[in-house]
Amino acid sequence: MGLLPWFARYGLLRLARESPRFGDSLSGSTKEDAMINELDDVILTRDTPEHGLSAGDIGTVVLVHRKQAGYEVEFTALDGETIAVLTLMPDEVRPINSGEIAHARELAVK
């Protein structure tokens, strides 16, 4: 089960207040060179129609490749079902910024 259902139940802001590790990723940093770590939530920056994902979708980093050369990112539905685990380059994801809000939508491909 992915982390997203847990976020959906408790809310990102509550999680940020209660967990310094997750709160760090919501600190409002907008630097392109911000460090992305394993278990950080990230935002997809491009559409991946073959997986039904759109720019702006939220995924969880499950592996950081050497020297931040790329990331393995899991995308899950709100019910915890894994949609895809993708290998993405640094320019294909970005950290979450403060003031952003999650959005629910139907998966484009099932």
Side-chain angles (χ1 to χ4, degrees), residues 38-58:
E38 289 178 6
L39 301 181
D40 281 355
D41 285 325
V42 292
I43 308 296
L44 186 64
T45 60
R46 67 173 177 85
D47 292 342
T48 57
E50 63 275 18
H51 298 287
L53 298 171
S54 299
D57 286 345
I58 301 169

Side-chain angles (χ1 to χ4, degrees), residues 7-50:
F7 282 95
R9 285 195 297 268
Y10 294 102
L12 289 173
L13 294 177
R14 179 175 174 192
L15 181 62
R17 285 192 298 267
E18 294 175 1
S19 175
R21 189 183 82 217
F22 285 101
D24 289 346
S25 68
L26 296 173
S27 64
S29 172
T30 58
K31 295 180 181 177
E32 302 248 344
D33 61 346
M35 182 73 72
I36 294 175
N37 299 301
E38 289 178 6
L39 301 181
D40 281 355
D41 285 325
V42 292
I43 308 296
L44 186 64
T45 60
R46 67 173 177 85
D47 292 342
T48 57
E50 63 275 18

